[in-house]
Amino acid sequence: SNLGKEDAFGMSTVGNPLSVSKDDIVIKNTSGSTAGSGSGDFHQYRAQRRKEYFRVHKMEKAYSQQAKEEEFQKRRQERLEKELSKTAKKSEKRKRAKEKKKSVKQQKKSVTDSIRKEDNEVVSGKEENKPIENKDQ
């Protein structure tokens, strides 16, 4: 429907909310002064003025809508960046906690292994080969 539409200057109006159609800017039978005007000129003037007000109102409304949309997109982008930052921060915190938990577990395991190793050395070491002394004799 909007394909190939052009404004009065031959520019494409597709996707441009501030564009003005040819019908909005064509002004017919304008009078340079009121001297010599006929009785019908006032009605032409009033119709012309109404069209001009409508055209200006339409442009202002389109500009206002465009400004609101830009402001919305700006706020949306800021909120999105804030949420991504928050998510990354929490993710990093979870990662650090997981690594800390893993290192604590690793330390406990190394301590337990070293204790077991010492116990095995004691059991399988020198004390095992010693004869058991009997205190009663």
Side-chain angles (χ1 to χ4, degrees), residues 3-19:
L3 268 146
K5 278 196 170 182
E6 294 180 348
D7 65 6
F9 304 105
M11 303 297 290
S12 174
T13 61
V14 176
N16 184 359
L18 298 178
S19 64

Side-chain angles (χ1 to χ4, degrees), residues 97-133:
K98 187 176 180 180
E99 288 174 359
K100 185 177 179 181
K101 189 175 180 181
K102 189 175 181 179
S103 69
V104 168
K105 188 175 179 180
Q106 190 71 22
Q107 286 176 346
K108 284 183 180 180
K109 184 177 180 185
S110 66
V111 168
T112 306
D113 287 347
S114 66
I115 291 172
R116 284 183 184 159
K117 189 175 180 181
E118 289 174 6
D119 288 347
N120 284 341
E121 287 176 0
V122 170
V123 171
S124 65
K126 300 174 185 175
E127 292 181 10
E128 185 178 306
N129 294 335
K130 290 183 182 179
I132 300 174
E133 295 179 16

Side-chain angles (χ1 to χ4, degrees), residues 65-80:
Q65 286 176 345
Q66 184 179 8
K68 284 179 183 178
E69 179 66 22
E70 287 173 0
E71 180 64 27
F72 169 76
Q73 291 299 334
K74 181 181 174 185
R75 285 188 320 219
R76 181 178 176 266
Q77 187 64 28
E78 288 172 357
R79 284 192 309 264
L80 184 63

Side-chain angles (χ1 to χ4, degrees), residues 10 19 21 23 32 48 51-52 54 56 70 77-78 80-81 90-94 103 106-107 110 119 123 125:
S19 64
S21 71
D23 298 331
Q48 173 190 342
K51 286 180 183 179
E52 179 65 14
F54 176 74
V56 171
E70 287 173 0
Q77 187 64 28
E78 288 172 357
L80 184 63
E81 289 171 1
K90 287 183 178 183
S91 175
E92 185 63 32
K93 188 175 179 180
R94 285 191 303 270
S103 69
Q106 190 71 22
Q107 286 176 346
S110 66
D119 288 347
V123 171

Side-chain angles (χ1 to χ4, degrees), residues 21-39:
S21 71
K22 218 176 196 182
D23 298 331
D24 291 338
I25 60 170
V26 174
I27 301 172
K28 299 177 185 174
N29 298 326
T30 59
S31 304
S33 69
T34 57
S37 304
S39 61

